[in-house]
Amino acid sequence: MATPRPILIAGGGPVGCITALALARQGLPVHLFEAEARVNDAPRAATTHAATLEMLAELGLVDEVTRRGLVEPKFRIWDRAKRELIVEFDFGLLANDTRFPYVVQCEQHKLANMTLERLSALPHVSVDFSARVTGLEQFDDRVEATVETPAGTRKVSGSYLIGADGGRSTVRKALGIEFEGYTHPERFLVLTTPFAFDAEFAQCSRNYFSDPDEWCALFKVTGDDGKGLWRVLFPTRLTESDDQAKDEAAVQGRLQQSFPKRGPYPVVHRNLYNVHQRVAASFRQGRVFLAGDSAHVNNPLGGLGLNFGIHDAVELAMLLGRVLRDEAPAAILDQYDRFRRPLNIEYVQQQTIANKKRLEEKDPAQRAKSNAALRQTAADPIAHRAYLLRASLIDSVRKRAAAA
Ligand SMILES: Cc1cc2nc3c(=O)[nH]c(=O)nc-3n(C[C@H](O)[C@H](O)[C@H](O)COP(=O)(O)OP(=O)(O)OC[C@H]3O[C@@H](n4cnc5c(N)ncnc54)[C@H](O)[C@@H]3O)c2cc1C
């Protein structure tokens, strides 16, 4: 081992955990700090794309992700008011491009927890919960993190530090790195219901409903008991307070307006999220790196944020491994920022912004044009495949590989 010092990771979300596993599988010592007492199980990412499934296969995780998730080759875009299907895309067309021509809907807390389980079996990995990284100092040969725990504050030395501490990243702020971009004025409301939308949407667990007044999205996940839950995502109105958005009558009104049925919907969770399109001005400063949401955040339409964060984790672990094994000079670490940052803008920011614009478009002529373009894309096998290569992030992985 080139260095006895561990690589420090701030944040035990899915990106921090996957980074730890990708490093630890190379025999590198890792010390991960998670501020909370347990993995956050709020309903966030579930959609795991082909390019990411390939990486999870390398890490020995894909079988469990698939078993605990739900395999879905298709996604649909509907006109909500007309209840009319605009277009259906089928990842099955990527059968010659990937072993995984589908997405797997597997909730992100399951992924983090199954990764932590594997980490717990590795003697060169330490994971501390209720341990918040509050500051850092860099030296020529090491980085020192300040960690606050219920037992007190201590300093921990590492060879490198990875900030995988989410959108509000303390590490990014400590480095003084700008989080460039903007925040959408509305918030996203996610309602979780055991109501079986399957009767109407059984053929597809990923549905987007475009609407000039109130678009929405409908996804199925397996849930912790495997019985199935549906998540319905709406934008909030600008005049609405959090309490008003979560109010029972408002929640039922929203659901009934989009999916009318007799009787109220059972709603087991109601969560509100701020939505941003932001990219850190740099993903690296010296011995400190940003990965996942600490480096980039985006709206969830297209299911790309965590997927890209996992790609960060895998790339960063590969580069650090090569440097720490003396297979490559430390200068190769520059590649992380040089490639990941523009790739995020091109594949994640651009796609998610376009996806949102398409769903909420108010101009009837523009809506008709955009729907016609989608139909044309889906009807042409070459264009359909090209669209899916981009949507599944296979294109971004290929572009990165070509640059190497
Ligand atoms: C409604 C919704 C749906 C989404 N759906 C998808 C999807 O289908 N597909 C997709 O790819 N993406 C999706 N996303 C995005 C996805 O949830 C995020 O990209 C993902 O959570 C990023 O993981 P992360 O580990 O980088 O950050 P986080 O999940 O935010 O984890 C960061 C961790 O760091 C910890 N932490 C914070 N500060 C510190 C500190 N100072 N010290 C130590 N620990 C700290 C936190 O407690 C947390 O556990 C969705 C997001 C939302 C809101």
Side-chain angles (χ1 to χ4, degrees), residues 83-376:
R83 297 188 76 75
E84 185 181 283
L85 182 66
I86 299 167
V87 73
E88 176 179 277
F89 286 99
D90 185 354
F91 286 109
L93 257 76
L94 302 186
N96 293 327
D97 295 286
T98 172
R99 283 180 289 165
F100 307 103
Y102 42 77
V103 305
V104 176
Q105 296 282 100
C106 179
E107 299 94 316
Q108 70 178 64
H109 68 276
K110 291 181 184 167
L111 177 63
N113 278 318
M114 70 180 80
T115 307
L116 283 166
E117 215 176 280
R118 283 154 178 77
L119 290 172
S120 68
L122 301 175
H124 51 296
V125 176
S126 305
V127 176
D128 293 354
F129 280 90
S130 304
R132 179 178 293 277
V133 173
T134 55
L136 63 96
E137 212 178 334
Q138 296 204 56
F139 301 90
D140 286 347
D141 61 339
R142 67 190 193 285
V143 54
E144 258 179 34
T146 308
V147 183
E148 266 179 27
T149 69
T153 300
R154 68 183 203 273
K155 296 222 182 220
V156 186
S157 278
S159 53
Y160 294 93
L161 167 67
I162 299 167
D165 49 346
R168 294 177 188 160
S169 174
T170 302
V171 172
R172 187 188 65 241
K173 288 174 190 162
L175 296 174
I177 294 177
E178 279 297 309
F179 211 18
E180 296 170 347
Y182 60 92
T183 298
H184 292 283
E186 72 275 40
R187 305 179 78 196
F188 282 9
L189 173 68
V190 178
L191 304 174
T192 306
T193 174
F195 174 77
F197 280 101
D198 305 58
E200 200 170 350
F201 299 107
Q203 317 88 322
C204 189
S205 55
R206 292 182 71 216
N207 297 278
Y208 298 94
F209 295 83
S210 92
D211 192 292
D213 297 325
E214 189 173 80
W215 58 267
C216 68
L218 179 64
F219 302 97
K220 189 176 182 185
V221 293
T222 49
D224 286 339
D225 60 7
K227 289 183 179 160
L229 288 171
W230 287 84
R231 292 177 179 172
V232 199
L233 189 158
F234 296 99
T236 59
R237 283 181 280 276
L238 300 187
T239 50
E240 232 170 0
S241 69
D242 289 6
D243 286 347
Q244 283 167 336
K246 288 182 172 181
D247 169 74
E248 176 65 11
V251 160
Q252 293 298 334
R254 271 203 159 99
L255 287 166
Q256 292 288 353
Q257 194 192 347
S258 285
F259 309 105
K261 78 169 186 76
R262 288 172 65 166
Y265 279 90
V267 176
V268 291
H269 296 294
R270 43 197 90 189
N271 298 74
L272 277 168
Y273 299 93
N274 294 322
V275 194
H276 319 270
Q277 308 287 160
R278 292 186 185 272
V279 182
S282 174
F283 286 11
R284 177 193 177 197
Q285 197 181 93
R287 292 181 170 271
V288 185
F289 299 83
L290 302 176
D293 274 19
S294 70
H296 43 76
V297 286
N298 54 273
N299 82 64
L301 301 169
L304 294 173
L306 174 56
N307 280 267
F308 197 89
I310 292 172
H311 300 197
D312 291 344
V314 168
E315 166 142 16
L316 185 52
M318 180 274 292
L319 291 170
L320 285 172
R322 291 185 63 203
V323 170
L324 289 169
R325 283 191 300 276
D326 285 331
E327 291 169 9
I332 65 158
L333 297 174
D334 291 344
Q335 293 181 13
Y336 181 69
D337 174 67
R338 185 163 8 117
F339 292 113
R340 301 292 319 147
R341 195 175 177 282
L343 283 174
N344 183 271
I345 293 168
E346 180 177 355
Y347 290 94
V348 178
Q349 301 299 330
Q350 285 180 10
Q351 285 198 83
T352 54
I353 290 168
N355 289 344
K356 181 170 181 291
K357 271 200 174 127
R358 191 185 304 122
L359 290 186
E360 69 191 9
E361 179 59 58
K362 293 199 182 303
D363 175 21
Q366 194 51 46
R367 287 177 65 77
K369 198 170 145 193
S370 146
N371 291 348
L374 281 174
R375 288 191 176 108
Q376 217 172 356

Side-chain angles (χ1 to χ4, degrees), residues 28-45:
L28 299 166
V30 177
H31 199 154
L32 184 148
F33 303 95
E34 164 54 45
E36 301 300 327
R38 53 192 284 272
V39 166
N40 180 347
D41 63 0
R44 293 201 280 164

